[in-house]
Amino acid sequence: LPLLCGAVAVILLATAVLAWWLTRRLVQPINHLAENLDTIEADVPYEELIPLARTIQTDRKLREDNETMRREFTANVSHELKTPLQGIVGSAELIQSGMVKPEDMPRFVGHIHDEASRMVTLVEDIIRLSQLDEGAESLEREPVELLALSQEVARRLEPAARSAGVSVEVWGAPVQVQGVRRVLDEMIYNLCENAIKYNRTGGRVTLTVGQGAEGPEVTVADTGIGIPPEDQSR
């Protein structure tokens, strides 16, 4: 019995050592992959690990791209918020110092109101983007007629277009999609607003609605300064 117990103990010990050695040897290539993420697809030791390596590489690239987009977004938002704040502070200082004539007061107060409204819109956009990113906001889809929506957006932008000396035209045929009306409205509105803002006096903004090669399409074209080729992919 002592010999048998001793033999069992030796076998168990040998099995534990062998299991530890085999596990370490099997895991070593995976650890090597983790330490060399930049060349992960070129350093795959087992063919069975290729799908895993590709998944890790894709996930890593996605995370890096998302982080870059977040940094750019934060920088852009900081700039966008700073501009209306400077306008509000500047107008308020002029009013406080008594340098504004009584007849000019409505114009300065109106400017403060407009800039404050712009800031509220920016903050609401930031909150909505955060909610969308976290998946916290429920996006209910419904039938949306794109031509009617584009015409409505054009009507809302008429004052801004008239002030900038730009004409806005809507062409095409009725096209219906299943989508989130508010999000589609914001997308078309933002494109058109930028097309007006960065246009030239006497310029033109054209919205075209119809069926494209991949389905329903809304195209916004303008005669403005355009987007530099290096930024068009964004």
Side-chain angles (χ1 to χ4, degrees), residues 151-167:
Q151 290 169 338
E152 182 185 323
V153 168
R155 279 195 299 272
R156 297 210 312 268
L157 284 168
E158 270 181 13
R162 199 163 42 245
S163 174
V166 175
S167 63

Side-chain angles (χ1 to χ4, degrees), residues 173-208:
V175 176
Q176 193 175 85
V177 296
Q178 282 290 122
V180 183
R181 182 179 180 83
R182 177 175 51 75
V183 175
L184 289 168
D185 183 290
E186 287 183 8
M187 289 167 62
I188 298 171
Y189 186 94
N190 288 341
L191 287 170
C192 291
E193 186 183 36
N194 283 333
I196 292 169
K197 187 186 298 183
Y198 299 104
N199 217 312
R200 56 179 174 79
T201 304
R204 187 175 66 258
V205 176
T206 306
L207 283 84
T208 308

